[in-house]
Amino acid sequence: MTLILSWSDEEAARYIETLKAFDGTDTSAIEKRDHTTQMEQVAHALASVRSVNKTDAGQLLNQFGCWRNIVGASVDELSVCPGLGPKKVRRLYEAFRKPFSKEAAKRRKEREKDKEKEDSKDADDKVNEGIESNSM
């Protein structure tokens, strides 16, 4: 086993290329590959969620069959998948549901607050109507 320590990705790449040149093998075994199949692309996208690895992505694909089913799954449905604990399930679920920008998140929170205010106002109105009808 060889351990390579470098200051940058470029420096590490030069070391590996040099090592492979002296080893007599080409660098194709360690080069980055493009994800050509749909399954590879889905697995790569799922693995980009923090703490979800390629094995978890494979389990999700086996369990749900396609990207659309995974994205549309509830927390309970994701929890059933082997190898996914509560933390991974929460992160995965939030990755599909949360907005990408802070501005969108702020607008969503404002809408939720407005909705809560309307709901509490409606509840107060119903209580007041009940009091008025009982006093008559």
Side-chain angles (χ1 to χ4, degrees):
M1 181 190 305
T2 304
L3 175 67
I4 298 175
L5 180 62
S6 65
W7 291 102
S8 67
D9 293 338
E10 292 81 17
E11 185 181 9
R14 279 196 316 272
Y15 288 150
I16 292 172
E17 286 175 349
T18 304
L19 184 71
K20 287 294 179 181
F22 287 119
D23 190 21
T25 59
D26 66 349
T27 57
S28 63
I30 59 172
E31 289 177 353
K32 183 179 178 183
R33 294 186 331 233
D34 289 332
H35 305 290
T36 54
T37 67
Q38 182 183 8
M39 292 299 201
E40 287 176 344
Q41 291 172 353
V42 170
H44 179 70
L46 289 170
S48 67
V49 176
R50 187 172 172 212
S51 79
V52 176
N53 56 37
K54 297 280 185 186
T55 305
D56 297 330
Q59 287 289 342
L60 285 163
L61 282 169
N62 286 335
Q63 184 85 18
F64 294 99
C66 69
W67 176 259
R68 179 176 290 176
N69 294 342
I70 296 169
V71 171
S74 68
V75 173
D76 293 334
E77 292 170 334
L78 290 170
S79 301
V80 175
C81 191
L84 293 183
K87 192 179 274 188
K88 285 184 184 180
V89 167
R90 181 181 49 81
R91 285 182 178 158
L92 192 61
Y93 185 80
E94 287 177 356
F96 296 139
R97 302 300 186 287
K98 282 192 171 181
F100 290 120
S101 70
K102 289 183 180 181
E103 292 176 17
K106 187 185 284 187
R107 285 192 304 265
R108 186 192 65 180
K109 285 182 182 179
E110 288 172 1
R111 283 194 308 264
E112 289 174 356
K113 284 181 183 178
D114 291 342
K115 188 174 187 295
E116 288 175 6
K117 287 179 184 177
E118 289 176 14
D119 291 345
S120 66
K121 183 181 175 189
D122 290 342
D124 290 342
D125 290 344
K126 288 180 182 179
V127 169
N128 290 338
E129 289 173 8
I131 292 172
E132 289 174 6
S133 64
N134 287 340
S135 63
M136 291 183 178

